[in-house]
Amino acid sequence: MAGRFAPRNAPRTALPHPAPVPAPSSAPAPSSGPVPASAPTSASGSVPDTGVLTREWTPPGPFDLRLVIGPLRRGPADPTFRMTRDGTVWRASRTPAGPGTLRLAARGGRIEASAWGPGAPWLLDRLPTLLGATDDPDAFRPRHRLLALTRHSRPGLRLVRTGLVMESLIPSILEQKVTTDEAYRAWRLLVRGHGTPAPGPADHAPFTALGLHVMPDARTWSLIPSWEWHRAGVDAKRSVTILRAVRVARRLEEASAMELPEAAARLELIPGIGPWTSAETLQRSNGAADAVTVGDLHLPGIVGHALAGNRDADDEEMLRLLAPYEGQRHRATRLVLLSGRIPPRRAPRRTRGDIARL
């Protein structure tokens, strides 16, 4: 589920922190919307066109950037997401306006954002919503001491809301009934192989070292040949589900503006998309506080162990335990996962499959 694990203190590979884009010599940009930033002057005196827009946003309360944005990362090598050692986040997205790259950094209680590409204005216009401005953490009323303590220790938790359905739906389909390593590998290979390099300051070495890519558009997904899916380790059931979804991508994107029941119903009209996949998607695209993940192999046991000492809980028992949090069940499960009270493993790890070798 979204936010299954607490964010690492640092990513596995440390990457250089890009130098900030110099601010314009005029008055600072207002936080109400994106503004162009001036580019550095070259040795010849010309000003290269970086196409960068900037914006600042001040969260209305405690805010933890890594905790909020972390659920969007699909593994440590996700080509659409990078988090550097100093806490700076880079994301490459395919917006309705086109590809865009967003850089986020927490500075003195504010979030500083820069964006590049045709999708830059779209990304910056929706920056507060992305970072949980429409989320209401105060709506959660803890009924268990564990959740009350975890909420107190993690006051910066807000639920991310991208407003982009397909960028969360496709990797969620890839995660169906396989190990996370298999799903992350498939996402990585498909995006790098069929996506496009992310827009950004191309002459800036730290950015190019990130290797960011924008995921393919709907038409490109539909044109991926069967052997490429196979090489990425994606079986026919998952690849066919993705192909069904991209054929009606515009209709599925409309779910980002719907209430949770209607949005889930819209997604689950596609054969191969069930409650697990729709919940995993809407937790990210819609910031759905009540989109509890059912059908998960591990989550019922984790919730049962944390809230009732029952590591053998099933979906029915999990929903019973979460009933007092109706309307906030996803937030409750995030707090359970962040509490660290996870039952010890009793069985070997699931064997990783590799159909690419067949």
Side-chain angles (χ1 to χ4, degrees), residues 1-3 57 62-65 67-72 126-140 154-163 282-292 327-335 338:
M1 61 164 290
W57 177 66
F63 187 85
D64 186 327
L65 179 60
L67 198 60
V68 172
I69 208 76
L72 300 182
R126 290 155 182 79
L127 177 69
T129 301
L130 170 72
L131 299 179
T134 59
D135 183 34
D136 183 11
D138 293 334
F140 182 78
R154 301 278 190 160
L157 174 64
R158 284 180 173 267
L159 300 183
V160 68
R161 182 173 187 171
T162 66
L282 298 173
Q283 289 164 6
R284 298 168 171 88
S285 65
N286 292 34
D290 199 45
V292 60
Q328 294 285 316
R329 291 177 295 177
H330 170 49
R331 195 189 310 275
T333 56
R334 288 259 354 236
L335 290 171
L338 290 170

Side-chain angles (χ1 to χ4, degrees), residues 174-191:
L174 292 175
E175 292 173 6
Q176 292 176 351
K177 300 185 183 299
V178 296
T179 65
T180 53
D181 286 345
E182 291 174 87
Y184 292 160
R185 175 181 177 271
W187 174 247
R188 183 170 66 250
L189 292 177
L190 292 168
V191 171

